[in-house]
Each structure stands twice: as C-alpha cells, then as structure tokens.
Amino acid sequence: MNDFKPGLEGVVAFETEIAEPDRDGGSLRYRGVDIEELVGVYRFEQVWGLLVDESFEPGLPAAAAYQGGGLTGNTPADLQSVTARVGAEWGLKKLIDITDDEAREDLRRASAQFISIAAQSARLADGNTDQVDPAVVSQGKTTAERFLLEWRGEADPKHVQALDTYWICTCEHGLNASTFVARITASTGSDCAAALSSAVGALSGPLHGGAPARVLPMLDAAAESGDPESYVESLIEKGERLMGFGHRVYRAEDPRARLLKGTAKELGAPRYDVAYKLEQAALAALRKKSPDRPLETNVEFWSAVVLDVADVPPQLAPAMFACSRTAGWSAHILEQKKLNRLVRPSAKYVGPGTRSASSIG
Ligand code: ACO
C-alpha cells in the first residue's frame, strides 16, 4: 500500500479490543460496555480497571503521595518530565524484558503516581508550597477525592462528582494522537513510565486535549458580546476554528459531550446557560458554513464547563485530561506489548533528486 493519507485519516494501524467509538451511532463503549452505563455508577479507578484488566477490581490503587522534588508548577511539563524521571528512579524494567503481569503492575504504580504528581504540581501552581499531609489525602475515598485533597486540602462533593465524571468520559478513545504516541514508544520496548511520559507531549497543542483551555475564554467573550450568534459568525468569518466542535471520528453527536452536558446541568454549572446558547449558535453557523460536513459538539466543549464546576483553571485542562488518559494509555501500552511489533511506517520521499553538495548555496 503506497497511498499517502495526510493525518493517516482512515488508516487502520492496529486492531484493538479496548474501546469502540461508534462513529455513526454516536456512542462509545469501553471493552463493550456503553459509557452511559458507567457514569454515576462506577468510579474512575474502577473504569481504569475495566480498560486495563477487563475487570472493575482491583482497578487503580490509591497512590503513595509523590515525595520527590523537581516540580515547577507547569503541570503538563511536570507530568512529562517527572514521570519519566520517576520511572528511571524506580528502576522500571523495559517492557520487552518483563511479563504482561509485571507490566500491568508497573502501569498501575506509574499511573497512580502520575495523578499524584499532577495534584502536587497544581498545588504549586496555586502558590502553595506547604508539604502535602498524607493523613488528609488518605481521608479521600475515591481517586478524584484524593486528587482534590492532595491539590487543595479540601474536596467539595460537587467538585468530586464533576472530576470523576469528566475522567470517566475522557479516559479512552481509540487511536487518538496521544495514545498513538504511547503505543509507538511502547513498541520500542521502553519502560511504562517513558511511554506515559511521551504521550503527555501530544497534549500540548489545542487540537487534542487542549481545547477546554480555549473554550472558557470563548464563552466569556460570547457572554460579554451579548450576542452569541454574531460572535460565532465573526469567528468563522475570520477563518478561526470554534474550539470544542468537530471531530475526526464522530460524524453524529459525540456521546461524551451529551453525558457531560447532562452533568453540567445537574451540577448547576455557572456557565451552563451561556454554553448552551453558544452551542446552539455555533452548530447553526457550522451547518451554514459546511452543510455537507457534519461538525457537532465534541467532548472538550462540555468538558470545559464541567471542569469549571470543579474550579479547574483552563490552563490545567490538558493535565486533567492526561490524568484520565492514564487508563486508555495503559491499556494500549499493554496491548502493544502483546502485539510485540515495532511501529515504523513509511514516508514517500518527494524532495529534490540526487544532487551534489556543491550545488547547495
Ligand atoms: N470550527 C470551524 N471549522 C471547523 C472546525 C471547527 N471547530 N472543525 C473543522 N472545521 C472545518 C475546517 O476548517 C475544514 O473546513 P474547510 O474544508 O473549509 O477547510 C473542515 O471543517 C474539515 O476540517 P479538518 O481539520 O479536516 O477536520 P478534522 O476532522 O481533521 O479535524 C479537529 C478534527 C482537529 C478536532 C477539528 O474539528 C478541530 O480543529 N476542532 C477544534 C479543536 C477541538 O475542539 N479539539 C478537540 C477535539 S476532541 C479531543 O481531542 C479529545
């Protein structure tokens, strides 16, 4: 096969048993279970187990609070660098040298530590340099609750529900950019922490995992303008992308957006009304702009509104997304280990023909 597909759209690179985004039906299943059945019934750590072990138990364990130094308060950067360093400090063995069960244990330990690193980095970003009190953190009954306790020393039940729902809705979605990166790294036989760390870098742009950071300013600007329709039209006229709309996979509704919208309403999200109005205006404008290409609300639009309920500042959204994706990434790292095949696609050379070095100025 020599066809070049920009962005690899439609190219099947792997077979997977982990998640099934139902492109036309507007649903998403983790190991065959519709996420509609999971939200509000199971907790994130159990869904982590469903994805990685195909079992809700034991799931993701409570993390030992991160004890090392080196945090900067730039949470995505901390997740990338400190996770890789912790793997080396723990002496994690290479995936190529360990059994599947050993890899599973490494992923469990590294993912739990990853979430603790995120909490403590966010704490530092808030200007709080006090040591985390492990006794306070251990009062938390769920991963989301412990995360908030480790970050802020308190966990409002509404914030816990917002975060837990967000994490369940975003923890796996097939071969997206960051998961592809995790699989590529794992395919080289790396250790688990290196594979998780490399995936974080793929979240630094706004097109994957970073859109919520741009959705809230858009909502505020729409509210300030007092006229969401004209505001949206003006963005489209300027050729800008509306953050939180469109998806490479879904042509129908993104089921995660539907679930998160319900949660935003249930929790009385402060920006629910303005988000609702902007969504209606945006969908109408996008239909007018591209009548033949369905561009619907994606997960990141309502994620921004739900994270706002938990007082997560927009710039922390990619880190929150990374914490949830420890589930999907870990499941894919294991699947890649079992496949045991280096990822190495081809590029079609289209550069200059053979020429001498002396012809270069
Ligand atoms: N606003 C305005 N126009 C859009 C949008 C948007 N959000 N999304 C796509 N389009 C338009 C493009 O301008 C393009 O129009 P053209 O053919 O006239 O040039 C057409 O739709 C196709 O765009 P592509 O980039 O080819 O669509 P693709 O399916 O590859 O893109 C993507 C998917 C990257 C998510 C895109 O819709 C986008 O940039 N959305 C905004 C960012 C965003 O919300 N990201 C979060 C995605 S969910 C996640 O990562 C967890």
Side-chain angles (χ1 to χ4, degrees):
M1 190 184 74
N2 290 319
D3 290 348
F4 165 51
K5 300 260 187 196
L8 301 180
E9 187 164 2
V11 174
V12 177
F14 303 105
E15 290 182 328
T16 183
E17 298 179 2
I18 303 164
E20 190 186 6
D22 183 343
R23 179 188 160 99
D24 301 312
S27 58
L28 171 62
R29 292 178 284 277
Y30 296 160
R31 301 263 180 206
V33 181
D34 196 309
I35 58 168
E36 301 253 5
E37 269 195 66
L38 299 171
V39 168
V41 181
Y42 295 92
R43 296 186 302 273
F44 167 70
E45 53 272 30
Q46 294 175 300
V47 177
W48 194 99
L50 171 67
L51 287 165
V52 179
D53 305 321
E54 218 172 333
S55 164
F56 292 115
E57 303 302 331
L60 181 67
Y66 173 65
Q67 300 286 347
L71 295 174
T72 63
N74 179 330
T75 309
D78 282 345
L79 283 173
Q80 204 173 350
S81 60
V82 179
T83 304
R85 207 192 64 221
V86 158
E89 284 167 5
W90 287 348
L92 289 189
K93 291 194 185 141
K94 306 290 178 200
L95 282 161
I96 204 164
D97 297 325
I98 56 179
T99 64
D100 291 354
D101 283 345
E102 286 171 317
R104 202 173 249 120
E105 280 317 305
D106 285 355
L107 287 165
R108 217 180 281 291
R109 189 175 171 209
S111 295
Q113 187 73 144
F114 186 101
I115 292 173
S116 171
I117 291 166
Q120 291 196 37
S121 174
R123 184 182 173 89
L124 196 59
D126 285 349
N128 186 346
T129 51
D130 293 348
Q131 278 288 97
V132 168
D133 182 351
V136 171
V137 178
S138 65
Q139 285 165 13
K141 291 184 188 59
T142 65
T143 303
E145 194 178 354
R146 278 192 299 274
F147 175 84
L148 289 168
L149 288 169
E150 192 167 354
W151 172 9
R152 300 178 181 144
E154 57 185 27
D156 177 318
K158 246 182 170 184
H159 296 185
V160 174
Q161 188 184 337
L163 196 57
D164 196 55
T165 306
Y166 167 73
W167 276 350
I168 291 173
C169 287
T170 55
C171 62
E172 157 61 5
H173 205 245
L175 202 60
N176 51 84
S178 57
T179 302
F180 192 30
V181 173
R183 285 192 78 131
I184 293 169
T185 305
S187 86
T188 68
S190 73
D191 69 57
C192 292
L196 292 174
S197 157
S198 58
V200 178
L203 300 181
S204 54
L207 298 190
H208 172 51
R214 297 181 179 216
V215 170
L216 287 193
M218 196 172 80
L219 293 181
D220 290 344
E224 206 175 303
S225 77
D227 181 357
E229 282 87 6
S230 308
Y231 172 72
V232 159
E233 293 282 358
S234 72
L235 289 182
I236 290 187
E237 268 166 31
K238 280 189 263 172
E240 288 188 24
R241 289 191 175 216
L242 304 179
M243 288 296 144
F245 294 89
H247 200 276
R248 182 62 72 80
V249 174
Y250 295 112
R251 291 296 168 250
E253 188 183 26
D254 181 333
R256 303 165 297 173
R258 183 174 64 234
L259 271 167
L260 287 163
K261 184 178 183 175
T263 302
K265 190 167 187 200
E266 185 191 336
L267 294 177
R271 287 180 166 96
Y272 181 85
D273 288 339
V274 64
Y276 182 83
K277 284 185 192 135
L278 187 118
E279 183 186 36
Q280 301 309 308
L283 292 175
L286 289 169
R287 275 172 204 142
K288 203 163 105 192
K289 172 187 177 266
S290 316
D292 301 329
R293 184 183 178 92
L295 290 168
E296 301 291 326
T297 320
N298 69 43
V299 63
E300 303 218 339
F301 184 77
W302 287 103
S303 289
V305 181
V306 168
L307 288 174
D308 184 44
V309 173
D311 286 339
V312 173
Q315 68 275 14
L316 263 187
M320 297 298 115
F321 187 73
C323 289
S324 75
R325 278 288 154 100
T326 57
W329 294 340
S330 296
H332 279 273
I333 290 166
L334 270 179
E335 204 171 71
Q336 185 62 40
K337 173 174 169 30
K338 288 177 187 155
L339 180 64
N340 192 19
R341 183 88 183 138
L342 178 71
V343 178
R344 203 320 185 172
S346 308
K348 184 173 162 188
Y349 180 73
V350 294
T354 308
R355 53 186 173 157
S356 132
S358 60
S359 70
I360 310 289

